[in-house]
mmCIF file of all heavy atoms in Angstrom:
data_model
loop_
_atom_site.group_PDB
_atom_site.id
_atom_site.type_symbol
_atom_site.label_atom_id
_atom_site.label_comp_id
_atom_site.label_asym_id
_atom_site.label_seq_id
_atom_site.Cartn_x
_atom_site.Cartn_y
_atom_site.Cartn_z
ATOM 1 N N GLU A 1 91.472 167.941 18.532
ATOM 2 C CA GLU A 1 91.971 166.917 17.611
ATOM 3 C C GLU A 1 92.640 167.609 16.430
ATOM 4 O O GLU A 1 92.019 167.891 15.400
ATOM 5 C CB GLU A 1 90.823 166.021 17.145
ATOM 6 C CG GLU A 1 90.169 165.215 18.273
ATOM 7 C CD GLU A 1 89.055 164.335 17.758
ATOM 8 O OE1 GLU A 1 88.784 164.385 16.533
ATOM 9 O OE2 GLU A 1 88.462 163.604 18.562
ATOM 10 N N LEU A 2 93.935 167.890 16.584
ATOM 11 C CA LEU A 2 94.695 168.618 15.583
ATOM 12 C C LEU A 2 95.869 167.790 15.102
ATOM 13 O O LEU A 2 96.373 166.920 15.813
ATOM 14 C CB LEU A 2 95.212 169.950 16.152
ATOM 15 C CG LEU A 2 94.159 170.935 16.687
ATOM 16 C CD1 LEU A 2 94.847 172.152 17.285
ATOM 17 C CD2 LEU A 2 93.203 171.355 15.581
ATOM 18 N N ASN A 3 96.279 168.063 13.895
ATOM 19 C CA ASN A 3 97.502 167.487 13.323
ATOM 20 C C ASN A 3 98.453 168.634 13.013
ATOM 21 O O ASN A 3 98.038 169.670 12.495
ATOM 22 C CB ASN A 3 97.192 166.688 12.050
ATOM 23 C CG ASN A 3 96.341 165.468 12.331
ATOM 24 O OD1 ASN A 3 96.537 164.775 13.332
ATOM 25 N ND2 ASN A 3 95.375 165.205 11.463
ATOM 26 N N TRP A 4 99.734 168.441 13.317
ATOM 27 C CA TRP A 4 100.715 169.491 13.145
ATOM 28 C C TRP A 4 101.779 169.074 12.142
ATOM 29 O O TRP A 4 102.021 167.887 11.910
ATOM 30 C CB TRP A 4 101.400 169.821 14.474
ATOM 31 C CG TRP A 4 100.528 170.480 15.485
ATOM 32 C CD1 TRP A 4 100.324 171.821 15.667
ATOM 33 C CD2 TRP A 4 99.726 169.840 16.481
ATOM 34 N NE1 TRP A 4 99.460 172.052 16.699
ATOM 35 C CE2 TRP A 4 99.073 170.855 17.221
ATOM 36 C CE3 TRP A 4 99.493 168.503 16.828
ATOM 37 C CZ2 TRP A 4 98.214 170.577 18.278
ATOM 38 C CZ3 TRP A 4 98.646 168.230 17.867
ATOM 39 C CH2 TRP A 4 98.001 169.260 18.585
ATOM 40 N N SER A 5 102.402 170.080 11.564
ATOM 41 C CA SER A 5 103.558 169.873 10.695
ATOM 42 C C SER A 5 104.485 171.062 10.860
ATOM 43 O O SER A 5 104.059 172.146 11.306
ATOM 44 C CB SER A 5 103.136 169.732 9.227
ATOM 45 O OG SER A 5 102.598 170.947 8.733
ATOM 46 N N PHE A 6 105.749 170.874 10.522
ATOM 47 C CA PHE A 6 106.702 171.972 10.633
ATOM 48 C C PHE A 6 106.341 173.065 9.635
ATOM 49 O O PHE A 6 105.847 172.789 8.537
ATOM 50 C CB PHE A 6 108.125 171.474 10.402
ATOM 51 C CG PHE A 6 108.639 170.613 11.522
ATOM 52 C CD1 PHE A 6 108.654 169.234 11.403
ATOM 53 C CD2 PHE A 6 109.084 171.187 12.704
ATOM 54 C CE1 PHE A 6 109.123 168.432 12.434
ATOM 55 C CE2 PHE A 6 109.543 170.395 13.745
ATOM 56 C CZ PHE A 6 109.559 169.024 13.617
ATOM 57 N N LEU A 7 106.598 174.299 10.016
ATOM 58 C CA LEU A 7 106.116 175.439 9.252
ATOM 59 C C LEU A 7 106.643 175.436 7.824
ATOM 60 O O LEU A 7 105.888 175.663 6.878
ATOM 61 C CB LEU A 7 106.503 176.745 9.962
ATOM 62 C CG LEU A 7 106.034 178.036 9.297
ATOM 63 C CD1 LEU A 7 104.523 178.091 9.223
ATOM 64 C CD2 LEU A 7 106.574 179.247 10.051
ATOM 65 N N ARG A 8 107.926 175.191 7.641
ATOM 66 C CA ARG A 8 108.531 175.281 6.310
ATOM 67 C C ARG A 8 108.646 173.921 5.618
ATOM 68 O O ARG A 8 109.392 173.774 4.663
ATOM 69 C CB ARG A 8 109.912 175.928 6.420
ATOM 70 C CG ARG A 8 109.854 177.386 6.854
ATOM 71 C CD ARG A 8 111.240 178.006 6.939
ATOM 72 N NE ARG A 8 111.167 179.413 7.265
ATOM 73 C CZ ARG A 8 111.098 179.896 8.500
ATOM 74 N NH1 ARG A 8 111.081 179.067 9.532
ATOM 75 N NH2 ARG A 8 111.036 181.202 8.723
ATOM 76 N N SER A 9 107.904 172.941 6.092
ATOM 77 C CA SER A 9 107.933 171.625 5.459
ATOM 78 C C SER A 9 106.954 171.580 4.290
ATOM 79 O O SER A 9 106.033 172.401 4.188
ATOM 80 C CB SER A 9 107.588 170.540 6.479
ATOM 81 O OG SER A 9 106.274 170.731 6.977
ATOM 82 N N THR A 10 107.141 170.610 3.418
ATOM 83 C CA THR A 10 106.245 170.435 2.271
ATOM 84 C C THR A 10 104.970 169.720 2.726
ATOM 85 O O THR A 10 105.023 168.655 3.332
ATOM 86 C CB THR A 10 106.932 169.616 1.180
ATOM 87 O OG1 THR A 10 108.150 170.274 0.799
ATOM 88 C CG2 THR A 10 106.038 169.488 -0.040
ATOM 89 N N ARG A 11 103.842 170.315 2.439
ATOM 90 C CA ARG A 11 102.564 169.730 2.836
ATOM 91 C C ARG A 11 101.512 170.079 1.793
ATOM 92 O O ARG A 11 101.654 171.054 1.047
ATOM 93 C CB ARG A 11 102.125 170.246 4.214
ATOM 94 C CG ARG A 11 102.047 171.761 4.311
ATOM 95 C CD ARG A 11 101.781 172.212 5.740
ATOM 96 N NE ARG A 11 101.710 173.659 5.857
ATOM 97 C CZ ARG A 11 102.754 174.447 6.026
ATOM 98 N NH1 ARG A 11 103.977 173.901 6.085
ATOM 99 N NH2 ARG A 11 102.618 175.751 6.121
ATOM 100 N N HIS A 12 100.474 169.276 1.754
ATOM 101 C CA HIS A 12 99.413 169.490 0.777
ATOM 102 C C HIS A 12 98.576 170.692 1.193
ATOM 103 O O HIS A 12 98.227 170.843 2.371
ATOM 104 C CB HIS A 12 98.537 168.236 0.680
ATOM 105 C CG HIS A 12 97.478 168.342 -0.372
ATOM 106 N ND1 HIS A 12 97.755 168.279 -1.721
ATOM 107 C CD2 HIS A 12 96.126 168.513 -0.265
ATOM 108 C CE1 HIS A 12 96.636 168.406 -2.410
ATOM 109 N NE2 HIS A 12 95.628 168.551 -1.541
ATOM 110 N N PRO A 13 98.246 171.590 0.269
ATOM 111 C CA PRO A 13 97.419 172.753 0.617
ATOM 112 C C PRO A 13 96.069 172.325 1.180
ATOM 113 O O PRO A 13 95.437 171.393 0.693
ATOM 114 C CB PRO A 13 97.265 173.490 -0.719
ATOM 115 C CG PRO A 13 98.435 173.058 -1.536
ATOM 116 C CD PRO A 13 98.702 171.641 -1.143
ATOM 117 N N PHE A 14 95.617 173.025 2.210
ATOM 118 C CA PHE A 14 94.348 172.711 2.860
ATOM 119 C C PHE A 14 93.586 174.006 3.103
ATOM 120 O O PHE A 14 94.159 175.100 3.105
ATOM 121 C CB PHE A 14 94.585 171.980 4.190
ATOM 122 C CG PHE A 14 95.277 172.818 5.234
ATOM 123 C CD1 PHE A 14 94.552 173.484 6.210
ATOM 124 C CD2 PHE A 14 96.661 172.957 5.230
ATOM 125 C CE1 PHE A 14 95.176 174.258 7.162
ATOM 126 C CE2 PHE A 14 97.300 173.730 6.189
ATOM 127 C CZ PHE A 14 96.564 174.386 7.158
ATOM 128 N N ALA A 15 92.290 173.871 3.303
ATOM 129 C CA ALA A 15 91.437 175.024 3.568
ATOM 130 C C ALA A 15 91.332 175.228 5.079
ATOM 131 O O ALA A 15 90.700 174.430 5.774
ATOM 132 C CB ALA A 15 90.051 174.815 2.971
ATOM 133 N N PRO A 16 91.952 176.272 5.625
ATOM 134 C CA PRO A 16 91.888 176.480 7.080
ATOM 135 C C PRO A 16 90.503 176.907 7.522
ATOM 136 O O PRO A 16 89.841 177.707 6.862
ATOM 137 C CB PRO A 16 92.922 177.588 7.308
ATOM 138 C CG PRO A 16 92.962 178.341 6.018
ATOM 139 C CD PRO A 16 92.727 177.324 4.940
ATOM 140 N N GLN A 17 90.063 176.359 8.628
ATOM 141 C CA GLN A 17 88.766 176.737 9.182
ATOM 142 C C GLN A 17 88.861 178.112 9.848
ATOM 143 O O GLN A 17 89.856 178.439 10.490
ATOM 144 C CB GLN A 17 88.298 175.694 10.200
ATOM 145 C CG GLN A 17 88.027 174.332 9.592
ATOM 146 C CD GLN A 17 87.426 173.373 10.601
ATOM 147 O OE1 GLN A 17 86.928 173.788 11.652
ATOM 148 N NE2 GLN A 17 87.450 172.085 10.282
ATOM 149 N N THR A 18 87.823 178.885 9.695
ATOM 150 C CA THR A 18 87.809 180.233 10.260
ATOM 151 C C THR A 18 86.922 180.348 11.488
ATOM 152 O O THR A 18 87.091 181.268 12.272
ATOM 153 C CB THR A 18 87.318 181.245 9.209
ATOM 154 O OG1 THR A 18 86.021 180.841 8.745
ATOM 155 C CG2 THR A 18 88.260 181.286 8.023
ATOM 156 N N CYS A 19 85.992 179.442 11.668
ATOM 157 C CA CYS A 19 85.052 179.530 12.778
ATOM 158 C C CYS A 19 85.476 178.578 13.887
ATOM 159 O O CYS A 19 85.788 177.406 13.625
ATOM 160 C CB CYS A 19 83.631 179.199 12.335
ATOM 161 S SG CYS A 19 82.982 180.346 11.096
ATOM 162 N N LEU A 20 85.494 179.070 15.104
ATOM 163 C CA LEU A 20 85.831 178.261 16.261
ATOM 164 C C LEU A 20 84.594 178.073 17.124
ATOM 165 O O LEU A 20 83.691 178.926 17.127
ATOM 166 C CB LEU A 20 86.927 178.927 17.090
ATOM 167 C CG LEU A 20 88.315 178.981 16.450
ATOM 168 C CD1 LEU A 20 89.250 179.783 17.349
ATOM 169 C CD2 LEU A 20 88.870 177.603 16.224
ATOM 170 N N PRO A 21 84.522 176.981 17.882
ATOM 171 C CA PRO A 21 83.397 176.813 18.815
ATOM 172 C C PRO A 21 83.353 177.957 19.820
ATOM 173 O O PRO A 21 84.389 178.530 20.180
ATOM 174 C CB PRO A 21 83.708 175.471 19.494
ATOM 175 C CG PRO A 21 84.616 174.766 18.541
ATOM 176 C CD PRO A 21 85.415 175.829 17.849
ATOM 177 N N HIS A 22 82.144 178.290 20.258
ATOM 178 C CA HIS A 22 81.980 179.404 21.199
ATOM 179 C C HIS A 22 82.737 179.155 22.499
ATOM 180 O O HIS A 22 83.296 180.073 23.099
ATOM 181 C CB HIS A 22 80.498 179.629 21.492
ATOM 182 C CG HIS A 22 80.243 180.757 22.443
ATOM 183 N ND1 HIS A 22 80.402 182.082 22.089
ATOM 184 C CD2 HIS A 22 79.858 180.748 23.751
ATOM 185 C CE1 HIS A 22 80.119 182.856 23.120
ATOM 186 N NE2 HIS A 22 79.783 182.076 24.138
ATOM 187 N N GLY A 23 82.782 177.904 22.927
ATOM 188 C CA GLY A 23 83.500 177.589 24.160
ATOM 189 C C GLY A 23 84.985 177.823 24.046
ATOM 190 O O GLY A 23 85.647 178.237 24.996
ATOM 191 N N ALA A 24 85.549 177.577 22.847
ATOM 192 C CA ALA A 24 86.983 177.795 22.660
ATOM 193 C C ALA A 24 87.322 179.270 22.722
ATOM 194 O O ALA A 24 88.346 179.684 23.270
ATOM 195 C CB ALA A 24 87.441 177.205 21.326
ATOM 196 N N VAL A 25 86.448 180.102 22.166
ATOM 197 C CA VAL A 25 86.687 181.548 22.194
ATOM 198 C C VAL A 25 86.542 182.083 23.613
ATOM 199 O O VAL A 25 87.313 182.927 24.065
ATOM 200 C CB VAL A 25 85.720 182.275 21.241
ATOM 201 C CG1 VAL A 25 85.924 183.783 21.307
ATOM 202 C CG2 VAL A 25 85.920 181.778 19.817
ATOM 203 N N GLY A 26 85.554 181.597 24.348
ATOM 204 C CA GLY A 26 85.332 182.091 25.701
ATOM 205 C C GLY A 26 86.413 181.671 26.671
ATOM 206 O O GLY A 26 86.664 182.362 27.662
ATOM 207 N N SER A 27 87.089 180.542 26.422
ATOM 208 C CA SER A 27 88.124 180.064 27.332
ATOM 209 C C SER A 27 89.448 180.765 27.137
ATOM 210 O O SER A 27 90.353 180.612 27.952
ATOM 211 C CB SER A 27 88.309 178.546 27.149
ATOM 212 O OG SER A 27 88.751 178.258 25.828
ATOM 213 N N ALA A 28 89.611 181.509 26.051
ATOM 214 C CA ALA A 28 90.871 182.209 25.788
ATOM 215 C C ALA A 28 90.796 183.600 26.408
ATOM 216 O O ALA A 28 90.204 184.518 25.850
ATOM 217 C CB ALA A 28 91.122 182.296 24.282
ATOM 218 N N ASN A 29 91.374 183.740 27.593
ATOM 219 C CA ASN A 29 91.291 185.007 28.306
ATOM 220 C C ASN A 29 92.347 186.000 27.839
ATOM 221 O O ASN A 29 92.085 187.191 27.724
ATOM 222 C CB ASN A 29 91.436 184.766 29.815
ATOM 223 C CG ASN A 29 90.296 183.926 30.368
ATOM 224 O OD1 ASN A 29 89.162 184.079 29.938
ATOM 225 N ND2 ASN A 29 90.598 183.037 31.299
ATOM 226 N N ASN A 30 93.549 185.522 27.595
ATOM 227 C CA ASN A 30 94.658 186.392 27.230
ATOM 228 C C ASN A 30 95.052 186.126 25.781
ATOM 229 O O ASN A 30 95.820 185.218 25.493
ATOM 230 C CB ASN A 30 95.848 186.161 28.167
ATOM 231 C CG ASN A 30 95.505 186.460 29.612
ATOM 232 O OD1 ASN A 30 94.839 187.439 29.896
ATOM 233 N ND2 ASN A 30 95.967 185.619 30.522
ATOM 234 N N LEU A 31 94.512 186.926 24.897
ATOM 235 C CA LEU A 31 94.813 186.777 23.476
ATOM 236 C C LEU A 31 95.906 187.751 23.066
ATOM 237 O O LEU A 31 95.986 188.867 23.578
ATOM 238 C CB LEU A 31 93.567 187.027 22.629
ATOM 239 C CG LEU A 31 92.413 186.040 22.765
ATOM 240 C CD1 LEU A 31 91.253 186.460 21.856
ATOM 241 C CD2 LEU A 31 92.858 184.630 22.434
ATOM 242 N N THR A 32 96.748 187.323 22.145
ATOM 243 C CA THR A 32 97.748 188.195 21.537
ATOM 244 C C THR A 32 97.153 188.736 20.239
ATOM 245 O O THR A 32 96.835 187.969 19.335
ATOM 246 C CB THR A 32 99.051 187.435 21.250
ATOM 247 O OG1 THR A 32 99.555 186.891 22.481
ATOM 248 C CG2 THR A 32 100.088 188.359 20.639
ATOM 249 N N LEU A 33 97.000 190.050 20.150
ATOM 250 C CA LEU A 33 96.326 190.673 19.027
ATOM 251 C C LEU A 33 97.245 191.673 18.335
ATOM 252 O O LEU A 33 98.183 192.199 18.928
ATOM 253 C CB LEU A 33 95.044 191.387 19.489
ATOM 254 C CG LEU A 33 94.016 190.521 20.228
ATOM 255 C CD1 LEU A 33 92.885 191.389 20.752
ATOM 256 C CD2 LEU A 33 93.481 189.420 19.322
ATOM 257 N N ASP A 34 96.964 191.927 17.072
ATOM 258 C CA ASP A 34 97.675 192.920 16.269
ATOM 259 C C ASP A 34 96.690 193.980 15.792
ATOM 260 O O ASP A 34 95.512 193.677 15.545
ATOM 261 C CB ASP A 34 98.351 192.280 15.054
ATOM 262 C CG ASP A 34 99.604 191.510 15.428
ATOM 263 O OD1 ASP A 34 100.200 191.837 16.464
ATOM 264 O OD2 ASP A 34 99.977 190.575 14.692
ATOM 265 N N CYS A 35 97.169 195.189 15.647
ATOM 266 C CA CYS A 35 96.343 196.279 15.139
ATOM 267 C C CYS A 35 96.061 196.046 13.658
ATOM 268 O O CYS A 35 96.984 195.834 12.860
ATOM 269 C CB CYS A 35 97.049 197.610 15.348
ATOM 270 S SG CYS A 35 96.224 199.028 14.597
ATOM 271 N N PHE A 36 94.786 196.075 13.280
ATOM 272 C CA PHE A 36 94.405 195.821 11.893
ATOM 273 C C PHE A 36 94.990 196.877 10.956
ATOM 274 O O PHE A 36 95.548 196.548 9.898
ATOM 275 C CB PHE A 36 92.882 195.803 11.771
ATOM 276 C CG PHE A 36 92.383 195.769 10.345
ATOM 277 C CD1 PHE A 36 92.379 194.595 9.622
ATOM 278 C CD2 PHE A 36 91.923 196.928 9.728
ATOM 279 C CE1 PHE A 36 91.930 194.556 8.313
ATOM 280 C CE2 PHE A 36 91.465 196.903 8.425
ATOM 281 C CZ PHE A 36 91.473 195.720 7.715
ATOM 282 N N THR A 37 94.903 198.143 11.336
ATOM 283 C CA THR A 37 95.393 199.218 10.471
ATOM 284 C C THR A 37 96.892 199.118 10.256
ATOM 285 O O THR A 37 97.384 199.256 9.126
ATOM 286 C CB THR A 37 95.038 200.583 11.077
ATOM 287 O OG1 THR A 37 93.625 200.646 11.323
ATOM 288 C CG2 THR A 37 95.430 201.715 10.151
ATOM 289 N N ALA A 38 97.649 198.878 11.334
ATOM 290 C CA ALA A 38 99.101 198.769 11.212
ATOM 291 C C ALA A 38 99.492 197.544 10.399
ATOM 292 O O ALA A 38 100.414 197.597 9.573
ATOM 293 C CB ALA A 38 99.731 198.722 12.599
ATOM 294 N N LYS A 39 98.807 196.422 10.625
ATOM 295 C CA LYS A 39 99.133 195.196 9.879
ATOM 296 C C LYS A 39 98.817 195.347 8.397
ATOM 297 O O LYS A 39 99.624 194.950 7.537
ATOM 298 C CB LYS A 39 98.350 194.025 10.466
ATOM 299 C CG LYS A 39 98.607 192.686 9.791
ATOM 300 C CD LYS A 39 99.996 192.180 10.089
ATOM 301 C CE LYS A 39 100.138 191.786 11.540
ATOM 302 N NZ LYS A 39 101.455 191.187 11.832
ATOM 303 N N LEU A 40 97.671 195.922 8.080
ATOM 304 C CA LEU A 40 97.307 196.133 6.682
ATOM 305 C C LEU A 40 98.278 197.083 6.006
ATOM 306 O O LEU A 40 98.691 196.854 4.860
ATOM 307 C CB LEU A 40 95.884 196.684 6.607
ATOM 308 C CG LEU A 40 95.343 196.980 5.204
ATOM 309 C CD1 LEU A 40 95.318 195.714 4.358
ATOM 310 C CD2 LEU A 40 93.957 197.610 5.285
ATOM 311 N N SER A 41 98.668 198.141 6.687
ATOM 312 C CA SER A 41 99.621 199.087 6.119
ATOM 313 C C SER A 41 100.970 198.421 5.861
ATOM 314 O O SER A 41 101.607 198.662 4.824
ATOM 315 C CB SER A 41 99.792 200.286 7.059
ATOM 316 O OG SER A 41 100.773 201.172 6.565
ATOM 317 N N GLY A 42 101.414 197.567 6.781
ATOM 318 C CA GLY A 42 102.675 196.862 6.590
ATOM 319 C C GLY A 42 102.654 195.939 5.389
ATOM 320 O O GLY A 42 103.620 195.872 4.624
ATOM 321 N N LEU A 43 101.547 195.216 5.207
ATOM 322 C CA LEU A 43 101.434 194.325 4.050
ATOM 323 C C LEU A 43 101.392 195.119 2.746
ATOM 324 O O LEU A 43 101.996 194.717 1.743
ATOM 325 C CB LEU A 43 100.181 193.463 4.182
ATOM 326 C CG LEU A 43 100.218 192.381 5.266
ATOM 327 C CD1 LEU A 43 98.871 191.675 5.346
ATOM 328 C CD2 LEU A 43 101.330 191.370 5.002
ATOM 329 N N GLN A 44 100.688 196.240 2.737
ATOM 330 C CA GLN A 44 100.630 197.065 1.533
ATOM 331 C C GLN A 44 102.000 197.620 1.170
ATOM 332 O O GLN A 44 102.386 197.625 -0.002
ATOM 333 C CB GLN A 44 99.624 198.196 1.739
ATOM 334 C CG GLN A 44 98.177 197.735 1.771
ATOM 335 C CD GLN A 44 97.214 198.862 2.076
ATOM 336 O OE1 GLN A 44 97.608 199.905 2.608
ATOM 337 N NE2 GLN A 44 95.939 198.668 1.773
ATOM 338 N N VAL A 45 102.750 198.071 2.167
ATOM 339 C CA VAL A 45 104.098 198.586 1.898
ATOM 340 C C VAL A 45 104.996 197.483 1.370
ATOM 341 O O VAL A 45 105.803 197.698 0.452
ATOM 342 C CB VAL A 45 104.681 199.206 3.181
ATOM 343 C CG1 VAL A 45 106.157 199.537 3.001
ATOM 344 C CG2 VAL A 45 103.914 200.458 3.565
ATOM 345 N N ALA A 46 104.865 196.272 1.928
ATOM 346 C CA ALA A 46 105.693 195.156 1.471
ATOM 347 C C ALA A 46 105.390 194.800 0.016
ATOM 348 O O ALA A 46 106.306 194.572 -0.781
ATOM 349 C CB ALA A 46 105.463 193.941 2.373
#
């Protein structure tokens, strides 16, 4: 049960949830992941 909006549209700030149900995590077999060290280094350089 999700509501969507366009990425660059004006919307009221909301608190994103960080915890997902265990079943949702287990059903995701092929995740797209980023290296934490490389991502952190890129943000610091920016």
Side-chain angles (χ1 to χ4, degrees):
E1 296 181 358
L2 302 177
N3 295 320
W4 291 270
S5 67
F6 290 101
L7 181 61
R8 294 181 176 86
S9 62
T10 303
R11 55 187 180 274
H12 184 73
F14 66 97
Q17 295 186 17
T18 57
C19 298
L20 291 175
H22 180 72
V25 178
S27 63
N29 296 323
N30 299 318
L31 294 179
T32 302
L33 303 174
D34 285 335
C35 173
F36 171 79
T37 305
K39 181 70 69 175
L40 179 60
S41 176
L43 289 176
Q44 289 176 341
V45 171

